[in-house]
Amino acid sequence: MAFISSGYDPKSPMENRVTDIGPRKYDEFYPPVIAKNKGKWLYHEILEPGVLVHVSETGDEVYTVRVGGARLMSVMLIREICDIADKHCDGYVRWTTRNNIEFMVDSKDKVKPLIEDLESRKFDAGSYKFPVGGTGAGITNIVHTQGWIHCHTPATDASGPVKAAMDVLFDDFKDMRMPAQLRVSLACCLNMCGAVHCSDIAMLGYHRKPPMVDHEYLDKMCEIPLAIAACPTAAIKPKKVEIDGKTLNSVDVNNSRCMYCGNCYTMCPCLPLMDKEGDGVVLMVGGKVSNSRSAPKFSKVAVAFLPNTAPRWPETTDAIKKIVEVYAADARKYERLGEWAERIGWERFFEKCELEFTHHLIDDFRDPAYYTWRQTTNFKF
Amino acid sequence: MAFISSGYDPKSPMENRVTDIGPRKYDEFYPPVIAKNKGKWLYHEILEPGVLVHVSETGDEVYTVRVGGARLMSVMLIREICDIADKHCDGYVRWTTRNNIEFMVDSKDKVKPLIEDLESRKFDAGSYKFPVGGTGAGITNIVHTQGWIHCHTPATDASGPVKAAMDVLFDDFKDMRMPAQLRVSLACCLNMCGAVHCSDIAMLGYHRKPPMVDHEYLDKMCEIPLAIAACPTAAIKPKKVEIDGKTLNSVDVNNSRCMYCGNCYTMCPCLPLMDKEGDGVVLMVGGKVSNSRSAPKFSKVAVAFLPNTAPRWPETTDAIKKIVEVYAADARKYERLGEWAERIGWERFFEKCELEFTHHLIDDFRDPAYYTWRQTTNFKF
Amino acid sequence: MAKNKTPLLDQLESGPWPSFVSDMKQQAEARAKNENNVEYQIPVDVVDDLLGVLELSYVDGETHWKHGGIVGVFGYGGGVIGRYCDQPEMFPGVAHFHTMRVAQPGGKFYKTDYLRQLCDLWDFRGSGLTNMHGSTGDIILLGTTTPQLEEIFFELTHKMDQDLGGSGSNLRTPADCIGQARCEWACYDTQDLCYQLTIDYQDELHRPAFPYKFKFKFDGCPNCCVASIARADMAFVGTWKDDIRIDQDAVKAYVEGDVKPNGNAHAGRDWGPFDIAKEVLDLCPTECMRYENGKLEINNRECVRCMHCINVMPRALRPGVHGGLSILVGAKAPILDGAQMGSLLIPFVEVNKESGYEEIKNVIEPIWDWWMEEGKNRERLGELMKRKGFQALLEAVGVDAMPQHVSEPRHNPYIFWKEEEVPGGFEMDINAFRKRHLR
Amino acid sequence: MAKNKTPLLDQLESGPWPSFVSDMKQQAEARAKNENNVEYQIPVDVVDDLLGVLELSYVDGETHWKHGGIVGVFGYGGGVIGRYCDQPEMFPGVAHFHTMRVAQPGGKFYKTDYLRQLCDLWDFRGSGLTNMHGSTGDIILLGTTTPQLEEIFFELTHKMDQDLGGSGSNLRTPADCIGQARCEWACYDTQDLCYQLTIDYQDELHRPAFPYKFKFKFDGCPNCCVASIARADMAFVGTWKDDIRIDQDAVKAYVEGDVKPNGNAHAGRDWGPFDIAKEVLDLCPTECMRYENGKLEINNRECVRCMHCINVMPRALRPGVHGGLSILVGAKAPILDGAQMGSLLIPFVEVNKESGYEEIKNVIEPIWDWWMEEGKNRERLGELMKRKGFQALLEAVGVDAMPQHVSEPRHNPYIFWKEEEVPGGFEMDINAFRKRHLR
Ligand code: SRM
Ligand code: SRM
Ligand code: SRM
Ligand code: SRM
Ligand code: SF4
Ligand code: SF4
Ligand code: SF4
Ligand code: SF4
Ligand code: SF4
Ligand code: SF4
Ligand code: SF4
Ligand code: SF4
């Protein structure tokens, strides 16, 4: 494995350096039918789950076949995508904002062969490589984050629970029987690198134990004032500790004030808080982003804790499946999950979904908590 | 003016002392028709503005004639009320929760003479003593507080602006043309001794200048730590001052942090903040208390400041009148003012009522302020 | 002739609405004349001077009252608000001008003999001016001097069987809506519950043991005619558990226009013929009503008992027969942390006269204990709830969390766990951890 | 044969949804085989070891990644996330495993030649694993070693005409919805605005000068397909000023069932025949639509442009022709103060390509100036807005307050006044006051 230089010379890094050029320009990559009809589209229709047609005022049409997949993707798989795009789509392809892949063709007769090709490709172990679906009033791909694949603060994995959940929801990826679109997401810690805070259903990795303090190394590895300042609940105080006869500067964590947010750990690696029994998933529901009908909504906590039962998180996927089915059966056409819960009342949501309401679900974070309590006698028994 | 003893002996206050007996028991004062039919009422009807009939399952009826008035009331006037009650109502009378007086009779024929009697009584200068009205979808009496009559913290008067407003609203006290009941209230400072925080229309006395500091007397008359602790914005700090060569303990007010709440003045008389130019009225709208249809609502600030133009507060009464008329013309049947404003959108409320929207009306008090900003693209131009 | 010129106030004598200035003037005049030869125990010109000081305020745009000193009657921590004029030399009649709060009877019903007795007493020993009533509900006797306080209290208690109301860090005088006395909708006897708790908690009312003031208000139904939900630390609001009673014939009568909707409350305008769909069904917040084939159906399980349909068709609809009340806690005015309305704590409790309202006291007393234990000086219950969290309140009262407690579950995930809820507890071993995770 | 046993992960190979484990395994195997004789610049077993460390996490229930050190390319303050394994001896292949963020093209359109080039580069100098795409929008190249960073950057810029994206206290890689490229509803050219601002603000993107991260997202209409309102410090959401365009014939076609509503998005279930009243008019939040005598009328003045009716009847309704955008600011994830969605700052601004989007930059730049001036370290714009108040933001941008800024006016009366707004200012003379009001 010999080092091969690209031409970069570490001794004179500025020589010949190209910077600040940004991304490639969008129109370099537009398929011709897109380039030609940009801004001229008249309407669209979903022909079947995963297949859209957009019609232009020029009379042109573009057919889109959307396929799901893991956004954690090898170059092998990307090359396979390129092969398909070369074969069917003149070498163009795109990704959606939810990590689906879209193959576009400019006439109807190209659609069927494309779909057949896509659906025929499977991994050796049997899962689809390119399942067609994810449109309309169904369940599309789960947006998610790194989890145990790459991050240092997760309280759960990302790719694993997402695979497990999508297996359970697979039929609805390929169908459009929901009352409205249903967006599922996952973030592996409450930094929430994704739209978990406003998804119809969200899995959120959450710690439940205050950080350990690695006294021996803390002063060496961290800036104590920064660690203290990082804590939103002021649970961290400076402290002197005796170790092997030496007095070291360190910190003390007031466990009863800690809400396990991990912000101190972000600032200081000597305050780890992950723990097999403590960590797990918070299930949130009822958020939305669109302004359609109602304003965007935050997701609300529906289940305070579900364990990290690797590799398939069955408690989590069961709860999700249950909520999805009750919602599908009970909500009105066009009604997003949160709109439904608000219409029937959260007391009914918990009853219908057979979820226990625990004290953890009552807001107690700062002043705004008050506004989520019930200031009316209007409630259902 | 010789001192006449009641029998109380200041030297032995406990002798013969009667305490903890509470109020008189309610049923001592029930008119017979009430006593007999309590808990048996079937329904009611408003026969005309100010006149109600309640029908009992026993077949009994009680007719109520409601009259408005100033709750600041002399014993002369109370005696006159007693005369009327004796004459028409077997010596019974009651007050409502909004300071109206109710005369009750047990048969229909007693109603007309009672009304005629009531309406015929006027003060020498011409105002009614007992105007009949205040029911149904109209404007009833204004609940209010002490103002300059008795309190030490008011930023406006109470009885005066109330009289001025009720003169302007008088026709609607005697009518029921509103879309729903419309409750007006007044509190002379933001201690809000009344339901100003959830009234359809509310006048609120408000200071606009930070307290003066009476350094010379402060340490003598106040407990400095209490004054400092009283400030919700931490605008007050201890300070030493030189007066006539002596160093005195006092406090310093950080004007830019002060929101003129007067809580420091409540704790310390050496921090007065009233000022002719600074003080005036905040107009709030859209609150409600009932749970009917929608949950109770807080009143919102519609006009940040109107001056104390004694004796008739024309700027305030004009604004109120305007809002009332626009509401009456625009709202739907049963729609409370706040329900109307929410339906049409606050941008329309300001437009229709021709009120200027100023920066003062945007919430900037603590974390919950965020939730009153607009987190959607849904708005009207 | 009036003692003080009051050109500004005089302008408030015109206009139709009853003029407090005219009333004060007639009272001032009557005192000056003193036709009944009352031996006034406080200055004869008290009302004149009150007019004078008020006029001065109208000129200055500022109040002329100083902070109240601590005045009161022996053994009580409340009931009197001390007040002194800041221009006593100009207005000696109101140099001292203390207010007394007299506990009002339930429903504010009166017999005239009682009222006349009160008027005589107040003419004699006070200004002869009152507020009927104060915002909390008391009869307010407006203005007397310190030496009269005990005298008045003595006469009240000995001759009128009447006690003072609350002020200070006490239970304040409880108040109720007219309720079953004259209202068809009351789901429990507001007057009796109000009276009984007032009597049983006299000690809390008169002797300040609380961190701050505490208010009870009793509403017979969710219309909240005594505004309990907005103005009481503890609001007792009537509701019911079973089904709305329907008289289908009366429904028809409304639909056919034979009975005016809303008890005729909208008679002042022509709103067109009654439209049950628009005026009732569409305004029902839960859409739980149907009107088909001349029959009204209510899906009572989904009804939130908001009262709207009942309000609109009082002859056809009535609350259920299984009455009780909801308890909401923490309402208060804006100082210091912003206003609060009451938050629902107990969705339903039986109102049981026979038990002495024990079920209700079992909610009240643990709350007081908690507040007295945890509350800071001048911290209202609502503020304590905000500071400590709703969960802490639930624990104090021994009530389990339920979705009825919230309008929506929390949207932030900052969930606190109790150590005993988390397997293995909070103590983790950093050295074991470092074996799994090298530094 | 696989280097590490992964019995738990293996279970994730079953089931219909594409298995990332299967994909990783095929990649690991291909690397091991190396049929094309690539001179891998990082360990051949990088993917094997990634599977191994992930399996270990599945056993431990804990991550095995340490805090990232500060690694990057010369002159840039972002674009690389450093990452080290906490069991490097067990998994040497991923001892260093840094991520590179590559700025994605607008709309995430690609030509395959570009993608293949990228694959070759990443096979050669990295793990061969990617995320297509990261949550912010970048192409994520997952896992390489420190010495490769400059090499990759060099090849990207020199051979692919391609720059890195953002990380750190920078402008982050802006992202857009597909917009006019393939969507009939886009009210402006999201791709062009996104591209132009990205190019014009390269310095802000690469050189950390901000208190914390800052994100732009561009949505062509209020459906918000790139979730700008939830995930961007500054969200640019298309809207229009004039009237919704109506094709009455198409409306009829919907009503008569000739066209399926909502672009056929509900085809998976029989919802019964289309009901324009129930499905459109009744769901319009402002009730501003009427359908009478086969004609649809919209009271456009009352329309809030929520998109619902357009979404349901795409062939009949279209946004107006006078397009522009609304700017909402301050969205962010929950750390530290709770999540925020964007708050409306600029209701409407023209999107003017000719001017170089000057009108929009005139909003962006004053906000940055204010935030850089006032923001604390690690304080997002939304948090600064909360701390300083919306008014301070308005002043910084020079925008007047308007009711569109709020969902409702403040309900607390704690109004701050500027000294110059109050006649006489804040200085009052205590001695003059004490003449009017004796102590
Ligand atoms: C391709 C994509 C944009 C892109 O740049 O990649 C897209 C494309 C379309 N969206 Fe979207 N949306 C896309 C993400 C989103 C998101 C973002 C997200 O989920 O993270 C949202 C906001 C979600 C939310 O509110 O939580 C979104 C909210 C909508 C809505 C609003 C629906 C609602 O009632 O709330 C519509 C209108 C509709 O579906 O009726 C819409 C409609 C559409 C239309 C019909 C627009 C058009 O005329 O072309 C497109 C096809 C819809 C379909 O898939 O059924 N799109 N759309 C994204 C596909 C994601 C995927 O792979 O599944
Ligand atoms: C007499 C009084 C109770 C008392 O103990 O003194 C009372 C009596 C009645 N109220 Fe009330 N309400 C009384 C204060 C209130 C208050 C308290 C307040 O205003 O401070 C409220 C809450 C106001 C609010 O929401 O801001 C109140 C909200 C209602 C409502 C709910 C209306 C709504 O749609 O929001 C009803 C039902 C209705 O009117 O349809 C109601 C209905 C009634 C009925 C019809 C009840 C009945 O069947 O007897 C009574 C006659 C109504 C009328 O005057 O038109 N009463 N009512 C109070 C009269 C005050 C006055 O002098 O004007
Ligand atoms: C007399 C009365 C106003 C009236 O004209 O009716 C009144 C008068 C005063 N109130 Fe009040 N409050 C009165 C009902 C209320 C109410 C309404 C209610 O009880 O329904 C409220 C709002 C509800 C609540 O309790 O929050 C109220 C909220 C306050 C507050 C704010 C308390 C808070 O926690 O936010 C203060 C400030 C304080 O306690 O220092 C206050 C303080 C005061 C003081 C004692 C002024 C002071 O700071 O020392 C006032 C004495 C005025 C005077 O000189 O007579 N008063 N006060 C009311 C009592 C009459 C009665 O007993 O019937
Ligand atoms: C890679 C990515 C997740 C993903 O798998 O896609 C990511 C990964 C990280 N994010 Fe993120 N964030 C990513 C998009 C987001 C988003 C979503 C978005 O941009 O639309 C958010 C929520 C929106 C927002 O900005 O508020 C997000 C909110 C955070 C936060 C919370 C910031 C806050 O103010 O609340 C942190 C914490 C921090 O900055 O210390 C964070 C921190 C991190 C760090 C750097 C961990 C840390 O504390 O050092 C993660 C590095 C993981 C790793 O090892 O690769 N990440 N992060 C996303 C970037 C990919 C890309 O460039 O395309
Ligand atoms: S959500 Fe948390 S754990 Fe997951 S990638 Fe983002 S910062 Fe890392
Ligand atoms: S985890 Fe969060 S709350 Fe707990 S100590 Fe760390 S920073 Fe504070
Ligand atoms: S509102 Fe303020 S000024 Fe008015 S009576 Fe109450 S405490 Fe006094
Ligand atoms: S008036 Fe209020 S905000 Fe101003 S200094 Fe006094 S207590 Fe503080
Ligand atoms: S609150 Fe209800 S029960 Fe009491 S008077 Fe009002 S309507 Fe009647
Ligand atoms: S009481 Fe309210 S919720 Fe119940 S049926 Fe009547 S209108 Fe509907
Ligand atoms: S946000 Fe609007 S314009 Fe952009 S893709 Fe979605 S629907 Fe189309
Ligand atoms: S865009 Fe929304 S608000 Fe406007 S008419 Fe259509 S549904 Fe109504």
Side-chain angles (χ1 to χ4, degrees), chain C residues 177-179 183 185-187 219-226:
Chain C
C177 79
I178 192 169
C183 178
W185 295 326
C187 298
D219 269 313
C221 83
N223 280 331
C224 285
C225 295
V226 73

Side-chain angles (χ1 to χ4, degrees), chain B residues 116-156:
Chain B
E116 280 168 8
D117 189 355
L118 289 165
E119 293 273 7
S120 71
R121 295 174 190 252
K122 294 195 170 184
F123 289 107
D124 293 345
S127 67
Y128 287 97
K129 281 181 172 165
F130 306 111
V132 176
T135 52
I139 300 180
T140 181
N141 209 340
I142 296 179
V143 287
H144 65 91
T145 50
Q146 296 296 333
W148 294 333
I149 276 281
H150 200 266
C151 199
H152 68 290
T153 61
T156 190

